Amino acid sequence: MTGCCDPRGYDATFTPKFAHRLARRYRRRGLDRLSARVVQRCVDHGIEGASILEIGGGVGSLHLELLRRGAATATNLELVGTYEQDAAELLAEARLTGRVQRRLLDLATDPTAVEPADVVVLNRVVCCYPDLAGLLGAAAGRARRLVVLTYPRPNVLTRAILVVENAVEALFGRTYRAFAHPPEEILAVLRAHGLEPAPDRRGGLWCLVSATRAPVTGAAAA
């Protein structure tokens, strides 16, 4: 299960070779099925003219597609720099370089270092970070309207995949670990930050959740 990574040795797992493979696949086949679902969920909520904050977007294929569908700008946060060359090449090919800012930043430890955005996206990310409340809470706090995230479905198969993946990482002496955060904790963090989550009930290995913030009324704003 791939996504964002941690600088404490995790760049040994998410290498430039890994980034090249992601970029090559995107050029040949476009978004994978889960990422396409994330894009569609964002579009369904309305992204025309919106600012996007993607956390752990890798080579940037997902926010590239959101820009093509009407979003105005995107900011991508990474913990390591292994994706940057491929991301820059994809942006240049799409002629969207001026509309994307890419930064190396751990949002969980420095949440005010990035401006709020209309839409915040975490695709295959929360499973890569040990501090769920820190990362997702910071992400939710940066979202003006919408958070869309995916995480491994809590069943026997996905837990077995995580166990095998972590065992392989340990076997090769790498420190990356994947985490199966309880869904109830994920939803609780979103609600604690004023968002109302709506899980996607479809099956598969991944759960998709969109969480919206109620608009501030004139009376409430006053």
Side-chain angles (χ1 to χ4, degrees), residues 93-156:
E93 291 165 16
R95 300 183 180 181
L96 292 170
T97 301
R99 291 166 60 186
V100 176
Q101 180 183 26
R102 295 186 61 90
R103 299 180 59 185
L104 296 180
L105 174 70
D106 186 347
L107 187 67
T109 61
D110 197 1
T112 62
V114 63
E115 291 294 318
D118 298 313
V119 178
V120 177
V121 178
L122 306 94
N123 184 31
R124 299 184 177 102
V125 169
V126 295
C127 60
C128 301
Y129 201 86
D131 181 7
L132 171 68
L135 177 62
L136 186 54
R142 298 288 89 189
R144 295 192 188 99
R145 294 197 283 109
L146 175 70
V147 172
V148 180
L149 71 148
T150 62
Y151 58 89
R153 190 172 299 280
N155 57 31
V156 173

Coordinates of all heavy atoms in Angstrom, one line a residue, residues 93-156:
E93 N 4.7 18.8 -18.8 CA 4.0 18.2 -20.0 C 2.6 18.6 -20.0 O 2.0 18.8 -21.1 CB 4.1 16.7 -19.8 CG 5.5 16.1 -20.1 CD 5.6 14.6 -19.6 OE1 4.5 14.0 -19.4 OE2 6.7 14.1 -19.4
A94 N 1.9 18.8 -18.9 CA 0.5 19.3 -18.8 C 0.4 20.8 -18.9 O -0.7 21.3 -18.9 CB -0.1 18.8 -17.5
R95 N 1.5 21.5 -18.9 CA 1.6 23.0 -18.9 C 0.8 23.6 -17.8 O 0.0 24.5 -17.9 CB 1.0 23.5 -20.3 CG 1.8 23.0 -21.5 CD 1.2 23.6 -22.8 NE 2.0 23.2 -23.9 CZ 1.8 23.5 -25.2 NH1 0.8 24.3 -25.4 NH2 2.5 23.1 -26.2
L96 N 1.0 23.0 -16.6 CA 0.4 23.4 -15.4 C 1.3 23.8 -14.3 O 1.0 24.0 -13.1 CB -0.6 22.3 -14.9 CG -1.8 22.0 -15.7 CD1 -2.5 20.7 -15.2 CD2 -2.8 23.2 -15.7
T97 N 2.6 24.0 -14.6 CA 3.6 24.2 -13.6 C 3.3 25.4 -12.7 O 3.5 25.4 -11.5 CB 5.0 24.4 -14.3 OG1 5.3 23.3 -15.1 CG2 6.1 24.7 -13.3
G98 N 2.8 26.5 -13.3 CA 2.6 27.7 -12.6 C 1.4 27.6 -11.6 O 1.2 28.5 -10.8
R99 N 0.6 26.6 -11.7 CA -0.5 26.5 -10.8 C -0.4 25.5 -9.7 O -1.3 25.2 -8.9 CB -1.8 26.0 -11.7 CG -2.2 27.2 -12.6 CD -3.1 26.7 -13.7 NE -4.4 26.1 -13.1 CZ -5.3 25.5 -13.8 NH1 -5.1 25.4 -15.2 NH2 -6.4 25.0 -13.3
V100 N 0.8 24.9 -9.5 CA 1.1 23.9 -8.5 C 2.3 24.3 -7.7 O 3.4 24.7 -8.2 CB 1.3 22.5 -9.0 CG1 1.7 21.5 -7.9 CG2 0.1 22.1 -9.8
Q101 N 2.2 24.3 -6.4 CA 3.3 24.5 -5.4 C 3.6 23.2 -4.8 O 2.7 22.5 -4.2 CB 3.0 25.6 -4.4 CG 4.1 25.8 -3.4 CD 3.7 26.8 -2.4 OE1 2.6 27.0 -2.0 NE2 4.7 27.5 -1.8
R102 N 4.9 22.8 -4.8 CA 5.3 21.5 -4.1 C 6.2 21.9 -3.0 O 7.2 22.6 -3.2 CB 5.9 20.6 -5.1 CG 5.0 20.1 -6.2 CD 5.6 19.0 -7.0 NE 6.0 17.8 -6.3 CZ 5.2 16.8 -6.1 NH1 4.0 16.7 -6.6 NH2 5.7 15.7 -5.4
R103 N 5.9 21.3 -1.8 CA 6.7 21.6 -0.6 C 7.1 20.4 0.2 O 6.3 19.4 0.2 CB 5.9 22.6 0.3 CG 5.6 23.9 -0.3 CD 4.8 24.7 0.7 NE 5.6 25.0 1.9 CZ 5.1 25.6 3.0 NH1 3.8 26.1 2.9 NH2 5.8 25.8 4.1
L104 N 8.3 20.4 0.8 CA 8.6 19.3 1.7 C 8.2 19.8 3.1 O 8.8 20.8 3.7 CB 10.1 19.1 1.7 CG 10.7 18.5 0.4 CD1 12.2 18.3 0.5 CD2 10.0 17.2 0.0
L105 N 7.2 19.2 3.7 CA 6.7 19.6 5.0 C 5.9 18.5 5.7 O 5.1 17.8 5.0 CB 5.7 20.8 4.7 CG 5.0 21.3 5.9 CD1 5.9 22.0 6.9 CD2 3.9 22.3 5.5
D106 N 6.2 18.3 6.9 CA 5.4 17.4 7.8 C 4.2 18.2 8.4 O 4.4 18.9 9.4 CB 6.2 16.8 8.8 CG 5.5 15.7 9.6 OD1 4.3 15.6 9.5 OD2 6.2 14.9 10.4
L107 N 3.1 18.1 7.8 CA 1.9 18.9 8.3 C 1.6 18.6 9.7 O 1.1 19.5 10.4 CB 0.7 18.7 7.3 CG -0.5 19.6 7.6 CD1 -0.2 21.0 7.2 CD2 -1.7 19.1 6.8
A108 N 1.7 17.4 10.1 CA 1.4 17.0 11.5 C 2.2 17.8 12.5 O 1.7 18.1 13.6 CB 1.5 15.5 11.7
T109 N 3.4 18.1 12.2 CA 4.2 18.8 13.2 C 4.3 20.3 13.0 O 4.7 21.0 13.9 CB 5.7 18.3 13.1 OG1 6.2 18.6 11.8 CG2 5.7 16.8 13.4
D110 N 3.8 20.8 11.8 CA 3.8 22.2 11.6 C 2.5 22.6 10.8 O 2.6 23.0 9.6 CB 5.0 22.6 10.8 CG 5.3 24.1 10.8 OD1 4.5 24.8 11.5 OD2 6.3 24.5 10.2
P111 N 1.3 22.4 11.3 CA 0.1 22.6 10.6 C -0.2 24.0 10.1 O -0.9 24.2 9.1 CB -1.0 22.2 11.5 CG -0.4 22.3 12.9 CD 1.1 22.0 12.7
T112 N 0.4 25.0 10.7 CA 0.1 26.4 10.3 C 1.1 26.9 9.2 O 1.0 28.0 8.8 CB 0.2 27.4 11.5 OG1 1.5 27.3 12.0 CG2 -0.9 27.0 12.5
A113 N 2.0 26.0 8.8 CA 3.0 26.4 7.8 C 2.5 26.4 6.4 O 3.1 26.8 5.4 CB 4.2 25.5 7.8
V114 N 1.2 26.0 6.2 CA 0.6 26.0 4.8 C -0.8 26.7 5.0 O -1.5 26.5 6.0 CB 0.5 24.5 4.3 CG1 -0.4 23.7 5.1 CG2 0.0 24.6 2.8
E115 N -1.1 27.4 3.9 CA -2.4 28.1 3.9 C -3.6 27.1 3.8 O -3.4 26.1 3.2 CB -2.5 29.1 2.7 CG -1.5 30.3 2.8 CD -1.9 31.2 4.0 OE1 -3.1 31.4 4.2 OE2 -1.0 31.6 4.7
P116 N -4.7 27.5 4.4 CA -5.9 26.6 4.2 C -6.3 26.5 2.7 O -5.9 27.4 1.9 CB -7.0 27.4 5.0 CG -6.3 28.2 6.0 CD -5.0 28.6 5.3
A117 N -7.0 25.4 2.4 CA -7.4 25.2 1.0 C -8.9 24.8 1.0 O -9.4 24.4 2.0 CB -6.6 24.1 0.4
D118 N -9.5 25.0 -0.1 CA -11.0 24.6 -0.2 C -11.1 23.1 0.0 O -12.0 22.7 0.7 CB -11.5 25.1 -1.5 CG -11.5 26.6 -1.7 OD1 -11.9 27.3 -0.8 OD2 -11.1 27.0 -2.8
V119 N -10.2 22.4 -0.7 CA -10.3 20.9 -0.7 C -9.0 20.3 -0.2 O -7.9 20.7 -0.8 CB -10.7 20.4 -2.1 CG1 -10.8 18.8 -2.1 CG2 -12.0 21.0 -2.5
V120 N -9.0 19.4 0.7 CA -7.8 18.7 1.2 C -8.0 17.2 0.8 O -9.0 16.6 1.1 CB -7.6 18.9 2.7 CG1 -6.4 18.0 3.1 CG2 -7.4 20.3 3.0
V121 N -6.9 16.6 0.2 CA -7.0 15.2 -0.2 C -5.8 14.4 0.4 O -4.7 14.9 0.4 CB -6.8 15.2 -1.8 CG1 -6.8 13.7 -2.2 CG2 -8.0 15.9 -2.4
L122 N -6.2 13.2 0.9 CA -5.2 12.3 1.4 C -5.5 10.9 0.9 O -6.3 10.2 1.4 CB -5.2 12.2 3.0 CG -5.1 13.5 3.7 CD1 -6.4 14.1 4.1 CD2 -4.3 13.3 5.0
N123 N -4.9 10.6 -0.2 CA -5.1 9.3 -0.9 C -4.0 8.3 -0.6 O -2.9 8.5 -0.9 CB -5.2 9.5 -2.4 CG -5.6 8.3 -3.1 OD1 -6.3 7.4 -2.6 ND2 -5.1 8.1 -4.4
R124 N -4.4 7.2 0.1 CA -3.4 6.2 0.5 C -2.3 6.8 1.4 O -1.1 6.5 1.2 CB -2.8 5.5 -0.7 CG -3.7 4.8 -1.6 CD -2.9 4.1 -2.7 NE -3.7 3.3 -3.6 CZ -4.1 3.6 -4.8 NH1 -3.7 4.8 -5.3 NH2 -4.8 2.8 -5.6
V125 N -2.7 7.7 2.3 CA -1.7 8.4 3.1 C -1.8 8.1 4.6 O -0.8 7.9 5.3 CB -1.9 9.9 2.9 CG1 -1.1 10.7 3.9 CG2 -1.4 10.3 1.5
V126 N -3.0 8.1 5.2 CA -3.1 7.9 6.6 C -2.6 6.6 7.1 O -2.1 6.4 8.2 CB -4.5 8.1 7.2 CG1 -5.0 9.6 6.9 CG2 -5.5 7.2 6.5
C127 N -2.6 5.6 6.2 CA -2.0 4.3 6.6 C -0.5 4.3 6.7 O 0.1 3.3 7.2 CB -2.5 3.2 5.6 SG -2.0 3.5 3.9
C128 N 0.1 5.3 6.2 CA 1.6 5.4 6.2 C 2.1 6.2 7.3 O 3.4 6.3 7.5 CB 2.1 6.0 4.9 SG 1.6 5.2 3.4
Y129 N 1.3 6.8 8.1 CA 1.7 7.7 9.2 C 1.3 7.2 10.5 O 0.1 6.9 10.7 CB 1.1 9.1 8.9 CG 1.9 10.2 9.6 CD1 3.0 10.8 8.9 CD2 1.5 10.7 10.8 CE1 3.7 11.9 9.5 CE2 2.2 11.8 11.4 CZ 3.3 12.3 10.8 OH 4.0 13.4 11.4
P130 N 2.2 7.1 11.5 CA 1.8 6.5 12.8 C 0.8 7.4 13.6 O 0.0 6.9 14.4 CB 3.1 6.4 13.5 CG 4.1 7.4 12.9 CD 3.6 7.5 11.4
D131 N 0.9 8.7 13.5 CA 0.1 9.6 14.3 C -1.1 10.0 13.6 O -1.1 11.1 12.9 CB 1.0 10.8 14.8 CG 0.2 11.8 15.6 OD1 -0.9 11.5 16.1 OD2 0.7 12.9 15.9
L132 N -2.2 9.2 13.7 CA -3.4 9.5 12.9 C -4.0 10.9 13.3 O -4.3 11.7 12.4 CB -4.4 8.4 13.1 CG -5.8 8.7 12.6 CD1 -5.8 8.7 11.1 CD2 -6.8 7.7 13.1
A133 N -4.1 11.1 14.6 CA -4.8 12.3 15.1 C -4.0 13.6 14.6 O -4.5 14.6 14.3 CB -5.0 12.3 16.6
G134 N -2.6 13.4 14.7 CA -1.8 14.6 14.3 C -1.9 14.9 12.9 O -2.1 16.1 12.5
L135 N -1.8 13.9 12.0 CA -1.8 14.2 10.6 C -3.2 14.5 10.1 O -3.4 15.6 9.4 CB -1.3 12.9 9.8 CG -1.4 13.1 8.3 CD1 -0.5 14.2 7.8 CD2 -1.0 11.7 7.6
L136 N -4.2 13.7 10.4 CA -5.6 14.0 9.9 C -6.2 15.2 10.6 O -6.9 15.9 9.9 CB -6.4 12.7 10.1 CG -7.8 12.8 9.5 CD1 -7.8 13.1 8.0 CD2 -8.6 11.5 9.8
G137 N -5.9 15.4 11.8 CA -6.4 16.6 12.5 C -5.8 17.9 11.9 O -6.5 18.8 11.6
A138 N -4.5 17.8 11.5 CA -3.9 19.0 10.9 C -4.5 19.2 9.5 O -4.8 20.3 9.1 CB -2.4 18.8 10.8
A139 N -4.7 18.1 8.8 CA -5.3 18.2 7.4 C -6.7 18.8 7.5 O -7.1 19.7 6.7 CB -5.3 16.8 6.8
A140 N -7.5 18.3 8.4 CA -8.9 18.7 8.6 C -8.9 20.2 9.0 O -9.8 21.0 8.5 CB -9.6 17.9 9.6
G141 N -8.0 20.6 9.8 CA -7.9 22.0 10.2 C -7.6 23.0 9.1 O -7.8 24.2 9.1
R142 N -7.0 22.5 8.0 CA -6.6 23.3 6.8 C -7.7 23.3 5.8 O -7.6 24.0 4.8 CB -5.3 22.7 6.1 CG -4.1 22.8 7.0 CD -3.6 24.2 7.2 NE -4.2 24.8 8.4 CZ -4.0 26.1 8.7 NH1 -3.3 26.9 7.9 NH2 -4.6 26.6 9.8
A143 N -8.8 22.5 5.9 CA -9.8 22.4 4.9 C -11.0 23.4 5.2 O -11.6 23.4 6.2 CB -10.4 21.0 4.9
R144 N -11.2 24.2 4.2 CA -12.4 25.2 4.3 C -13.7 24.5 4.0 O -14.7 24.8 4.7 CB -12.2 26.3 3.2 CG -11.0 27.2 3.5 CD -11.1 28.4 2.6 NE -9.9 29.2 2.6 CZ -9.0 29.2 1.7 NH1 -9.1 28.4 0.7 NH2 -7.9 30.0 1.8
R145 N -13.7 23.5 3.0 CA -15.0 22.9 2.6 C -15.0 21.4 2.7 O -16.0 20.9 3.1 CB -15.3 23.4 1.2 CG -15.6 24.8 1.0 CD -16.4 25.1 -0.3 NE -15.5 25.0 -1.5 CZ -15.6 24.1 -2.4 NH1 -16.4 23.1 -2.2 NH2 -14.8 24.1 -3.4
L146 N -13.9 20.8 2.3 CA -14.0 19.3 2.0 C -12.7 18.6 2.3 O -11.6 19.2 2.0 CB -14.4 19.1 0.6 CG -14.4 17.7 0.0 CD1 -15.6 16.9 0.6 CD2 -14.6 17.8 -1.5
V147 N -12.8 17.5 2.9 CA -11.6 16.5 3.0 C -12.1 15.2 2.3 O -13.1 14.7 2.6 CB -11.2 16.3 4.4 CG1 -10.2 15.1 4.5 CG2 -10.7 17.5 5.1
V148 N -11.2 14.7 1.4 CA -11.4 13.4 0.8 C -10.2 12.5 1.1 O -9.1 12.9 0.9 CB -11.7 13.5 -0.7 CG1 -11.9 12.1 -1.3 CG2 -12.9 14.4 -1.0
L149 N -10.4 11.4 1.7 CA -9.3 10.5 2.1 C -9.7 9.0 1.8 O -10.9 8.7 1.7 CB -8.9 10.7 3.5 CG -9.9 10.1 4.6 CD1 -9.1 9.6 5.8 CD2 -10.9 11.2 5.0
T150 N -8.6 8.2 1.7 CA -8.8 6.8 1.6 C -7.9 6.1 2.6 O -6.9 6.6 3.0 CB -8.4 6.3 0.1 OG1 -7.1 6.6 -0.1 CG2 -9.3 6.9 -0.9
Y151 N -8.4 4.9 3.0 CA -7.6 4.1 4.0 C -7.9 2.7 3.8 O -9.0 2.3 3.3 CB -7.8 4.6 5.4 CG -9.3 4.5 5.8 CD1 -9.8 3.4 6.4 CD2 -10.1 5.6 5.7 CE1 -11.2 3.3 6.8 CE2 -11.5 5.6 6.0 CZ -12.0 4.4 6.6 OH -13.3 4.4 7.0
P152 N -7.1 1.7 4.2 CA -7.3 0.3 4.0 C -8.6 -0.1 4.7 O -8.8 0.2 5.9 CB -6.1 -0.4 4.6 CG -5.1 0.7 4.6 CD -5.8 2.0 4.9
R153 N -9.4 -0.9 4.0 CA -10.6 -1.5 4.6 C -10.2 -2.4 5.8 O -9.4 -3.3 5.6 CB -11.5 -2.2 3.6 CG -12.8 -2.6 4.1 CD -13.7 -3.1 2.9 NE -13.8 -2.1 1.9 CZ -14.7 -1.1 1.9 NH1 -15.5 -1.0 3.0 NH2 -14.8 -0.2 0.9
P154 N -10.9 -2.3 6.9 CA -10.5 -3.2 8.1 C -11.1 -4.6 8.0 O -12.1 -4.9 8.6 CB -11.0 -2.4 9.3 CG -12.3 -1.7 8.7 CD -11.9 -1.4 7.3
N155 N -10.4 -5.4 7.2 CA -10.9 -6.8 7.1 C -9.7 -7.7 7.2 O -8.5 -7.3 7.2 CB -11.8 -7.1 5.9 CG -11.0 -6.7 4.6 OD1 -9.8 -6.8 4.5 ND2 -11.8 -6.3 3.6
V156 N -9.9 -9.0 7.1 CA -8.8 -10.0 7.3 C -7.8 -9.9 6.2 O -6.6 -9.9 6.4 CB -9.4 -11.4 7.3 CG1 -8.3 -12.5 7.3 CG2 -10.3 -11.6 8.6

